[in-house]
Amino acid sequence: MKPNYTINFEKKTFQNIITRINTPKNKIIMKTMLLCIFLSVTFALVSETTGWLEVDWKIVFIPALLVLQIIIITTALKNRYKKH
């Protein structure tokens, strides 16, 4: 019988991916994005219930995407002009 090495390889690659994602900097980014999503959804709910503003629910997640783009651009610029 031959041992099946593909399962172990898939588990190791999955663990490597998780360890790369689970860094302190990425945790801060994810918390910031979740905060933006939470704030935009609550603003949309409050404005919809009070009738102050009609909200198109397709664009609720745009602030979180904008924050993600700003974070990506600033980290790219920091890495580009980092002094060695």
Side-chain angles (χ1 to χ4, degrees):
M1 287 181 70
K2 289 185 179 179
N4 193 356
Y5 291 110
T6 57
I7 295 174
N8 292 335
F9 179 71
E10 289 175 0
K11 285 183 182 177
K12 286 183 180 180
T13 55
F14 183 71
Q15 287 175 349
N16 287 340
I17 291 170
I18 294 298
T19 55
R20 286 183 195 163
I21 292 173
N22 200 10
T23 61
K25 190 179 278 189
N26 288 347
K27 287 181 184 178
I28 293 171
I29 292 170
M30 291 302 290
K31 286 179 184 177
T32 307
M33 287 181 57
L34 288 174
L35 179 66
C36 287
I37 290 172
F38 175 72
L39 289 175
S40 60
V41 167
T42 53
F43 176 76
L45 284 173
V46 168
S47 62
E48 189 77 26
T49 54
T50 59
W52 179 65
L53 182 69
E54 288 203 18
V55 177
D56 187 11
W57 288 96
K58 297 174 191 170
I59 61 170
V60 170
F61 300 106
I62 289 178
L65 293 174
L66 288 173
V67 168
L68 178 65
Q69 288 178 352
I70 290 169
I71 291 170
I72 289 172
I73 290 169
T74 54
T75 54
L77 288 174
K78 284 181 188 176
N79 291 336
R80 171 85 170 116
Y81 296 109
K82 189 187 299 185
K83 292 184 179 181
H84 296 286

